[in-house]
Amino acid sequence: MTFYNYPSKLLEQAVREFAKLPGIGNKTALRLVLYLLKQETEDVELFGQTIIELKKNVKHCKICRNISDTDICQICSNKLRDHQTICVVENIRDVMSIENTNQYNGVYHVLGGIISPMDGIGPGDLFIDSLEKRVSEGDIHEIILALSTTMEGDTTNFYIYKRLNKYPVKITTLARGVAIGDELEYADEITLGRSIINRTPFDSTLADRKKDGRLE
């Protein structure tokens, strides 16, 4: 870790706050703060006010939990989307990744994470109950499990499958164009798009996953 003898307490405090951001160390934080110091006061004020407005006013869609400026996001309110198909994802970034493929016209359900006992995250910490409610109350034909192909992602997929298997709904998962162990947001758009188009029934993949030792 790099330590600096800061000439200003205000500079030191600003660097410390920037360094709290993921992937930002003290060196990068210092460079960002010094860059802001060179900008016009109006530009820096706009930057700060934008972050404050984001934190205060951004909403989560009441239906799918996607980030939105309104109570219902643009995807859920779009009547041209296929509202009988729900793509289940881990986070907001995954929604953006799938939308960028232009290969999916259904709606989403953001879990807010995946089951990870090592991190203290269980099913009750995720928006799985609201997903089941959507399936039980709505005219849903297909659930696409589009979680990362990691041990935690597979465990979450399997748990959701067991919760929803009692309903008359088709449950599918991404084709293995997305390599095992990959997180969805890092898959390129072409690979991700093909994985959505060529999705397969989830129950047909259970045997392979158990054989690999990724489902116990």
Side-chain angles (χ1 to χ4, degrees):
M1 179 181 295
T2 303
F3 295 94
Y4 298 96
N5 185 15
Y6 296 97
S8 164
K9 288 293 184 182
L10 293 175
L11 175 64
E12 182 179 0
Q13 183 178 355
V15 170
R16 187 182 300 116
E17 293 303 314
F18 268 86
K20 292 178 181 179
L21 298 173
I24 303 295
N26 285 345
K27 187 175 182 179
T28 301
L30 177 60
R31 185 167 65 249
L32 293 173
V33 172
L34 292 178
Y35 170 82
L36 288 176
L37 280 177
K38 294 178 181 179
Q39 308 309 304
E40 296 293 334
T41 300
E42 293 79 6
D43 293 335
V44 178
E45 288 177 345
L46 177 60
F47 175 81
Q49 189 60 37
T50 299
I51 301 301
I52 293 172
E53 289 292 325
L54 172 68
K55 181 60 179 177
K56 284 185 175 180
N57 298 321
V58 73
K59 302 177 184 294
H60 288 276
C61 176
K62 291 184 177 180
I63 298 176
C64 72
R65 302 298 302 175
N66 191 15
I67 280 182
S68 175
D69 293 332
T70 56
D71 289 336
I72 306 299
C73 72
Q74 294 181 351
I75 294 176
C76 287
S77 60
N78 187 345
K79 296 182 179 180
L80 297 180
R81 306 282 300 213
D82 175 11
H83 289 263
Q84 295 180 323
T85 301
I86 299 176
C87 184
V88 180
V89 296
E90 177 182 348
N91 53 48
I92 309 301
R93 295 189 302 270
D94 293 340
V95 173
M96 297 171 65
S97 296
I98 293 175
E99 284 296 286
N100 286 338
T101 69
N102 294 315
Q103 298 294 329
Y104 178 68
N105 191 47
V107 293
Y108 295 91
H109 190 88
V110 181
L111 294 178
I114 51 179
I115 297 172
S116 178
M118 292 291 292
D119 297 318
I121 302 174
D125 299 309
L126 308 177
F127 294 103
I128 297 177
D129 289 344
S130 56
L131 172 62
E132 182 174 359
K133 184 177 181 181
R134 291 178 70 181
V135 172
S136 65
E137 295 181 351
D139 184 20
I140 308 301
H141 288 180
E142 182 180 1
I143 295 293
I144 304 173
L145 300 176
L147 303 180
S148 300
T149 54
T150 59
M151 177 76 75
E152 293 80 8
D154 280 345
T155 299
T156 309
N157 279 339
F158 187 50
Y159 179 84
I160 293 174
Y161 172 77
K162 290 193 297 182
R163 287 279 297 266
L164 302 183
N165 194 35
K166 59 187 176 183
Y167 299 101
V169 60
K170 181 180 180 181
I171 303 176
T172 60
T173 187
L174 298 182
R176 284 311 187 189
V178 178
I180 293 174
D182 280 357
E183 294 188 16
L184 208 63
E185 64 176 298
Y186 298 121
D188 66 86
E189 294 175 5
I190 294 177
T191 299
L192 182 56
R194 288 174 177 171
S195 296
I196 294 171
I197 293 174
N198 298 320
R199 58 186 182 271
T200 57
F202 182 78
D203 54 5
S204 69
T205 69
L206 289 179
D208 291 337
R209 293 165 192 243
K210 290 179 179 178
K211 185 186 301 181
D212 292 340
R214 291 184 295 115
L215 281 179
E216 297 295 342

